[in-house]
Amino acid sequence: MWANKIVARLASGEAPADDCGLVLVCSWPMPQEVLQAYEHLRDELRDVMPDGAYIYPASTLHCTVTTLRAFTAGPMDAELRETMRSLWMPVLNAARAMEEWPSVPFKLRINHPTLEGAAGIFRYDDLDGAVESMRSCLRKAIEAAGGKAAEGMDWSEAKALPGTPDGQIAPQIPNIVHSTVLRWSSEPPDQAAAKESFAKVAEKWTPLDIEVGRATAVFEDHPYMHLGTDGEKNIWWSSAS
């Protein structure tokens, strides 16, 4: 199954649920050169992809360093937001204080997009190893605080931070460096044809090297970082502070 009910709501313009996540991201917002190149790619994809393909707005593009709380865990009222922020601030500060934490700016390369079934993504080359270094520091800081992050899709040892309210989930460290560009609001009629159409547009992409100056922790109060052009108001921690 490629279709996603959350994406179907986004595609229809339906108001999203009140779900909210906490994510540590970098390369967001993207540099103007990336936004311009992506808008061209997006236009071409819209011309060739079948019904059901939802192509992300440029403002959503980001690289997740760590998911502190997935938005799929449900709503967060003001009290829970402050509780979770207070729990995570010292962990983020401890990670940033480690010798291994990367200096800035660091470089990423945005490679040709690929359609990997349920999602189309840009995979990045972590040219300076900075994303992996941040993840390593966060892993250590989370464990020092008494928690344990899920690694990729392996949740077997994951444990929320002590003091996390009941019903909240553990953090998750991705095992790839990427940005999502496409998901599905409904099943495509022909998956093979969809992959072929995507690939023909993707091969025109010229890989881009970008400089990244910070990582930021964000209240993800719209699914998949659909925070609009004023999303910086959702930032509650920055590695540059």
Side-chain angles (χ1 to χ4, degrees), residues 26-27 30-31 33-34 62-63 106-113 121-131 176-179 205-212:
C26 67
S27 61
M30 283 286 179
E33 63 176 314
V34 177
H62 69 283
C63 171
F106 58 84
K107 291 183 179 180
L108 299 173
R109 176 170 296 147
I110 306 176
N111 291 311
H112 293 88
I121 66 172
F122 286 116
R123 287 182 181 265
Y124 295 4
D125 290 337
D126 188 10
L127 295 175
D128 298 324
V131 174
I176 61 172
V177 183
H178 76 292
S179 289
W205 177 264
T206 300
L208 293 171
D209 289 1
I210 61 172
E211 287 192 345
V212 180

Side-chain angles (χ1 to χ4, degrees), residues 140-222:
K140 294 173 184 176
I142 290 167
E143 292 184 6
K148 192 169 180 63
E151 298 286 344
M153 298 307 295
D154 181 4
W155 290 82
S156 60
E157 298 183 16
K159 183 171 63 173
L161 293 177
T164 299
D166 291 343
Q168 303 305 304
I169 61 176
Q172 180 187 32
I173 297 176
N175 55 11
I176 61 172
V177 183
H178 76 292
S179 289
T180 302
V181 301
L182 179 150
R183 291 185 191 270
W184 297 91
S185 61
S186 60
E187 292 295 322
D190 185 331
Q191 293 183 353
K195 286 186 174 183
E196 183 177 353
S197 295
F198 188 96
K200 286 181 178 178
V201 174
E203 68 183 7
K204 302 176 186 178
W205 177 264
T206 300
L208 293 171
D209 289 1
I210 61 172
E211 287 192 345
V212 180
R214 63 177 183 172
T216 53
V218 178
F219 287 117
E220 187 185 16
D221 57 7
H222 285 66

Side-chain angles (χ1 to χ4, degrees), residues 22 76 79-92 219 235-237:
L22 306 177
M76 298 180 70
E79 181 179 359
L80 181 55
R81 288 192 187 202
E82 180 56 30
T83 296
M84 297 298 287
R85 189 189 70 84
S86 296
L87 279 173
W88 278 105
M89 286 283 283
V91 176
L92 296 174
F219 287 117
I235 294 172
W236 52 270
W237 182 88

